[in-house]
Amino acid sequence: GNRTLMSILDALSSRTLRARTWRGVIEADASQQTIREHRAIHQALAARDRPLAEAAALMHVNTSERWLRGVLAGRPRAGT
């Protein structure tokens, strides 16, 4: 129900769709890693554990940001 968050996520999602799709193709575990990160966020929310949900979300955003910065810098993977 957070319209601001939804707006931000919609903007980020649409602008990075091609890069995220490509990541799924070139990085074998990318999709599974994303699912694990999302599952951790969901489980913390379902448990009503705010600090854990915040930490899980922060980890996911950090992982995604690191990857996207690597792509923008011309590196195929953020860690390389």
Side-chain angles (χ1 to χ4, degrees):
N2 186 328
R3 291 181 188 176
T4 302
L5 180 58
M6 289 302 299
S7 176
I8 291 169
L9 291 175
D10 285 344
L12 287 173
S13 178
S14 63
R15 291 184 179 150
T16 62
L17 179 61
R18 190 177 313 170
R20 289 182 294 116
T21 302
W22 182 244
R23 181 183 187 197
V25 170
I26 64 172
E27 291 183 32
D29 192 41
S31 295
Q32 290 304 312
Q33 178 64 29
T34 299
I35 290 169
R36 283 190 297 271
E37 292 171 1
H38 285 185
R39 187 171 290 132
I41 296 166
H42 179 263
Q43 288 172 343
L45 290 170
R48 298 187 181 276
D49 188 335
R50 181 178 177 164
L52 184 58
E54 289 174 348
L58 182 60
M59 289 299 297
H60 175 60
V61 169
N62 183 50
T63 299
S64 300
E65 180 183 7
R66 206 170 350 124
W67 167 77
L68 186 55
R69 285 183 185 273
V71 169
L72 295 175
R75 294 186 309 268
R77 297 183 72 171
T80 60

